[in-house]
Amino acid sequence: MMRLDRFLCETGFGTRSQVKELLKKGQVLVNGQAAKRPEQKIEEGKDVVLCGGKQAVYAQAVYLMLYKPAGTVSATEDAKERTVLDLLDTGDRRDLFPVGRLDKDSEGLLLLTSDGELAHRLLSPKKHVDKVYYARVEGRVAEEHAERFAAGLDIGEKAPTLPAALEILKSGEISEVRVTVREGKFHQVKRMFAAVGCRVIYLKRLRMGTLALDETLKAGEYRRLTEDEIRDLKRLTGQAERPE
Ligand code: URA
């Protein structure tokens, strides 16, 4: 069961305020009766809801975790390149899109979903969802770099980057690090290392918010999220706190 206004939003009839207007104008029928109350409860798959004469059909959102391999682009379609959706079985593809982007040469965790609201919340600059990456970097990474990452770096944007955590796993001519950033600017991690004179030669996303890459997945493989994983992501972004 869910509220009528949420049901209409999730079936593509607009934002909460647009849906409220439609209800006010008497455009919505539930089982043949005019419905005006946004809080009216709807049973998905049972109640027949018409909005402006069109049926609102509720399809359960799908959530997949993909281990994106290098060489694929984070897009739903591309004229030349292989996209992450090309890696899915055809039956799994419908309405899915990647939540954010990994560069073509980056790999690791990519969430694919049909839940536009969750995607929007996870990507919102206001939410500061942590993203954790493992990187191999040309150049000797030292504590001084970690301090600069924590202080915020000039990567050519209006504002410096938000404080980021840099954990040095190995320091050498090729260093290994774990980086946690709370924004998602274009080429963010590569640009942060470039700002301190290093070059990222391998980048893999390990985590996004509460969602960690399943270590049993190989590059190119994917699986559905568990109920717990979906719930945790929704809680993290405040989605579950809305009234049903
Ligand atoms: N930062 C980058 O530079 N590239 C990615 O793919 C992700 C984060």
Side-chain angles (χ1 to χ4, degrees):
M1 299 276 269
M2 72 166 77
R3 287 172 55 119
L4 176 56
D5 55 354
R6 184 169 182 187
F7 183 87
L8 289 167
C9 290
E10 293 198 2
T11 51
F13 285 90
T15 59
R16 280 238 161 157
S17 49
Q18 288 167 334
V19 157
K20 240 189 191 157
E21 274 306 297
L22 293 169
L23 289 166
K24 255 199 216 151
K25 287 187 188 147
Q27 299 254 11
V28 182
L29 298 180
V30 176
N31 302 323
Q33 306 276 324
K36 299 246 164 175
R37 290 186 311 116
E39 65 277 13
Q40 180 175 343
K41 292 285 187 204
I42 298 297
E43 195 170 333
E44 308 91 313
K46 183 161 174 268
D47 290 318
V48 177
V49 181
L50 292 180
C51 185
K54 272 201 210 147
Q55 186 164 356
V57 181
Y58 190 80
Q60 205 74 44
V62 174
Y63 304 85
L64 302 178
M65 147 185 329
L66 168 72
Y67 182 160
K68 176 197 174 296
T72 49
V73 295
S74 304
T76 51
E77 49 185 28
D78 193 282
K80 283 191 257 142
E81 308 283 358
R82 191 148 194 253
T83 75
V84 289
L85 287 199
D86 293 334
L87 299 166
L88 307 183
D89 296 333
T90 32
D92 284 329
R93 276 205 213 175
R94 212 168 43 98
D95 302 335
L96 291 183
F97 51 86
V99 179
R101 280 163 191 271
L102 284 175
D103 297 335
K104 184 177 168 194
D105 61 351
S106 301
E107 52 178 73
L109 174 66
L110 193 62
L111 172 63
L112 302 169
T113 186
S114 55
D115 182 341
E117 182 173 355
L118 180 68
H120 179 74
R121 284 167 177 259
L122 282 169
L123 297 175
S124 162
K126 287 190 211 131
K127 298 273 181 206
H128 301 315
V129 171
D130 281 356
K131 268 87 55 183
V132 183
Y133 296 88
Y134 164 83
R136 277 201 289 275
V137 172
E138 246 173 27
R140 197 169 289 276
V141 178
E143 263 325 300
E144 156 219 338
H145 294 108
E147 283 161 23
R148 293 180 65 191
F149 271 56
L153 292 165
D154 179 359
I155 59 167
E157 299 276 335
K158 270 192 222 127
T161 54
L162 290 176
L166 173 61
E167 193 187 334
I168 303 165
L169 306 173
K170 184 177 156 212
S171 184
E173 272 168 32
I174 305 286
S175 300
E176 292 177 36
V177 296
R178 194 173 300 127
V179 194
T180 306
V181 297
R182 327 180 100 193
E183 331 164 74
K185 300 225 162 69
F186 185 60
H187 294 331
Q188 172 129 7
V189 174
K190 291 174 185 164
R191 286 161 74 199
M192 289 172 81
F193 277 102
V196 298
C198 298
R199 191 167 78 91
V200 172
I201 52 172
Y202 173 81
L203 189 62
K204 175 178 177 182
R205 182 153 64 197
L206 305 173
R207 177 180 278 278
M208 184 180 201
T210 50
L211 188 66
L213 180 64
D214 184 331
E215 288 176 6
T216 66
L217 291 177
K218 298 195 185 80
E221 290 183 344
Y222 66 98
R223 69 156 169 81
R224 285 187 179 242
L225 263 58
T226 64
E227 289 299 321
D228 284 354
E229 287 170 334
I230 298 168
R231 186 205 54 217
D232 290 349
L233 280 177
K234 288 188 174 179
R235 276 206 185 138
L236 175 73
T237 60
Q239 195 173 341
E241 282 152 29
R242 291 172 27 176
E244 284 301 310

